[in-house]
């Protein structure tokens, strides 16, 4: 069993900041990566940012320079610092955990946290 507990969403004005947190627990040996995705109604879930266990990061072009992903010292927590928020960042944000398995990895998801940016 793997559980992901998210926190930190909310309502903020454009230009403001929020910090999302996600902590993984359970059978989380051999983590490949942790990251954040977001989804708006009628659209596919899209990558916001992720970080491998080796520390390499990927960011969506739309958030580069504004969002920063980081991992806790215990490597089972991931944070997303979101600055200079825009109304188009409004979405449900999902924490993602990839655990290695033979031939690939398994994806696990948090329950989602709403981020709303008002203009």
């Amino acid at each position: 069993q793997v559980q992901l507990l998210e926190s930190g969403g909310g309502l903020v004005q454009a230009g403001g900041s929020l910090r999302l947190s996600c902590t993984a627990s359970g059978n989380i040996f051999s983590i490949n990566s942790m990251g954040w995705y977001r989804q708006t109604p009628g659209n596919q879930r899209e990558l916001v940012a992720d970080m491998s266990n080796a520390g390499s990061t990927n960011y969506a072009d739309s958030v580069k320079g504004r969002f920063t992903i980081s991992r806790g010292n215990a490597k089972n927590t991931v944070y997303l610092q979101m600055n200079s928020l825009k109304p188009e960042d409004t979405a449900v944000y999902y924490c993602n955990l990839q655990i290695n398995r033979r031939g690939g990895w398994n994806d696990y998801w948090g329950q989602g946290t709403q981020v709303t940016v008002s203009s």
Side-chain angles (χ1 to χ4, degrees):
Q1 285 279 39
V2 174
Q3 295 85 38
L4 297 174
L5 182 61
E6 302 163 346
S7 63
L11 172 64
V12 66
Q13 288 189 330
S17 299
L18 285 173
R19 188 187 194 216
L20 305 183
S21 300
C22 174
T23 299
S25 61
N27 188 8
I28 55 172
F29 299 108
S30 191
I31 293 176
N32 180 54
S33 70
M34 294 188 76
W36 293 93
Y37 286 67
R38 67 187 181 187
Q39 189 171 22
T40 53
N43 293 308
Q44 289 189 330
R45 197 170 292 186
E46 63 176 8
L47 173 71
V48 178
D50 65 13
M51 177 180 278
S52 73
N53 241 30
S56 62
T57 57
N58 290 306
Y59 290 94
D61 288 343
S62 59
V63 307
K64 285 179 181 176
R66 300 187 299 122
F67 292 10
T68 303
I69 190 168
S70 60
R71 300 271 296 271
N73 288 335
K75 301 296 185 184
N76 68 326
T77 300
V78 64
Y79 305 99
L80 185 69
Q81 179 65 44
M82 304 185 293
N83 298 329
S84 301
L85 282 160
K86 304 176 180 180
E88 51 263 44
D89 295 317
T90 295
V92 178
Y93 284 69
Y94 294 90
C95 177
N96 171 260
L97 168 68
Q98 290 185 348
I99 293 179
N100 290 316
R101 60 170 175 80
R102 183 176 297 180
W105 59 81
N106 290 328
D107 280 297
Y108 297 88
W109 298 94
Q111 79 281 3
T113 185
Q114 177 70 46
V115 171
T116 302
V117 184
S118 63
S119 57

